[in-house]
Amino acid sequence: MTEETIFSKIIRKEIPADIVYQDDLVTAFRDINPRAPSHILIIPNKHIPTANDVTTEDELALGRLFTVAKKLAKEEGIDENGYRLIVNCNAHGGQEVYHIHMHLLGGQPLGPMLLS
Ligand code: AMP
């Protein structure tokens, strides 16, 4: 297991973040460098570094990422037009923070899924 990241400090409210949702399993906060009008990160409270590290024990928390994404998309007013959910893994996926997280992006057309 790799070291905790800045996201663990956000969960514990040891450093400031714009937290929009928190429960016993997950925390959601606005991305500090938003790539779309709505850009929220949804993360499990447990430190899971990457998608390679998930186990069956994590299924409840990781499923919660989706139900919270749906709720937040509605609150942001982006559910009808649509949005994108992204989980990056390791170097080729472009992962920067090694605490697994789901990006919720929306509020404008997001273009093609990948740069060609
Ligand atoms: P990824 O490239 O998938 O690992 O995405 C990491 C994301 O975390 C980036 O979009 C960053 O802008 C975001 N980020 C890094 N530090 C913070 C922070 N302190 N508060 C909010 N978002 C952050």
Side-chain angles (χ1 to χ4, degrees):
M1 182 71 74
T2 55
E3 300 270 314
E4 281 190 348
T5 73
I6 194 165
F7 287 0
S8 292
K9 292 187 168 67
I10 288 174
I11 292 163
R12 294 195 296 263
K13 301 186 176 155
E14 292 169 2
I15 62 165
D18 188 355
I19 294 176
V20 294
Y21 181 87
Q22 188 166 49
D23 64 23
D24 57 324
L25 289 177
V26 306
T27 299
F29 50 96
R30 293 192 188 280
D31 196 291
I32 204 167
N33 180 24
R35 277 35 159 248
S38 290
H39 187 175
I40 294 171
L41 302 175
I42 312 165
I43 72 177
N45 294 339
K46 174 185 170 186
H47 177 226
I48 303 167
T50 80
N52 289 333
D53 302 301
V54 304
T55 70
T56 53
E57 286 178 13
D58 302 321
E59 287 173 355
L60 186 61
L62 297 177
R64 185 75 59 87
L65 300 183
F66 276 90
T67 51
V68 170
K70 169 192 158 182
K71 168 187 155 57
L72 293 175
K74 188 169 178 57
E75 288 177 11
E76 293 284 299
I78 61 174
D79 53 329
E80 291 293 328
N81 283 332
Y83 50 91
R84 186 170 291 159
L85 302 174
I86 298 174
V87 178
N88 295 319
C89 180
N90 277 345
H92 283 194
Q95 185 172 4
E96 294 171 2
V97 180
Y98 282 79
H99 183 130
I100 195 169
H101 48 279
M102 174 184 280
H103 295 257
L104 166 62
L105 293 146
Q108 65 185 28
L110 295 170
M113 187 168 66
L114 294 174
L115 296 174
S116 49

